[in-house]
Amino acid sequence: MSEQRPHQFERGTDGPKVIMAGVDGSASSLRAAAYAAGLARRQNALLSLVYVQPVLATGAALGAPVAGATEEIAEGLATEIRTSAERVRDLWRVRWEFHTFKGDAYAGLVRAADELKADAVVVGASESAGHRFVGSVAVRLVKAGRWPVTVVP
């Protein structure tokens, strides 16, 4: 039997390297982004902010300018995040990037987490009453069991 040595505290770079937060402009998603930024700062991790552009075939079939509207939302979110980051840049040194994926929110976030090699996922709690029946994106991400998921109210 080998001799067991007492476990020693180790300082190092263990911990998440990429923390991903899903943002869609809702108040809860922006709180999730702020929470994820704090985690990333404390862990010296990269913060990947992800907006999933919905692909609404029904709206497109009816002639609605869906692509332009979702592009506008993505650009608005990126601008808002950049402005917020500028305001606090001297307080918080956080490395971050912004990505846009297309598809439904759940599938887009899964694809983003895989492609970005996310070590943790942070999302806001659903603000939709309908999700009690269908299941929210947050609950589906937790059930997927592929990453630690934090749901911010």
Side-chain angles (χ1 to χ4, degrees):
M1 184 167 151
S2 68
E3 191 178 305
Q4 276 193 322
R5 295 172 43 193
H7 185 73
Q8 295 179 334
F9 178 76
E10 176 183 355
R11 288 184 195 249
T13 58
D14 289 350
K17 292 187 181 0
V18 177
I19 297 174
M20 185 186 93
V23 293
D24 63 5
S26 67
S28 68
S29 80
L30 296 177
R31 285 191 298 272
Y35 183 86
L39 289 175
R41 179 183 55 82
R42 288 186 295 280
Q43 295 287 335
N44 195 28
L46 174 65
L47 172 63
S48 290
L49 300 170
V50 174
Y51 170 64
V52 179
Q53 279 185 303
V55 178
L56 304 173
T58 307
L62 298 174
V66 175
T70 59
E71 288 288 337
E72 200 172 295
I73 291 169
E75 289 171 18
L77 280 169
T79 300
E80 184 176 337
I81 291 164
R82 281 188 191 94
T83 301
S84 296
E86 266 310 297
R87 280 195 303 259
V88 297
R89 79 166 182 246
D90 292 331
L91 298 174
W92 289 11
R93 298 270 184 225
V94 177
R95 295 177 301 122
W96 65 277
E97 57 192 22
F98 182 80
H99 300 274
T100 302
F101 287 78
K102 293 186 180 191
D104 87 346
Y106 171 75
L109 289 174
V110 167
R111 195 171 89 240
D114 286 342
E115 287 183 20
L116 299 171
K117 296 180 177 36
D119 295 302
V121 176
V122 181
V123 292
S126 174
E127 296 178 354
S128 171
H131 287 156
R132 282 187 230 139
F133 304 108
V134 178
S136 70
V137 171
V139 169
R140 292 172 66 195
L141 288 168
V142 169
K143 286 182 178 181
R146 294 169 58 184
W147 325 266
V149 177
T150 302
V151 182
V152 177

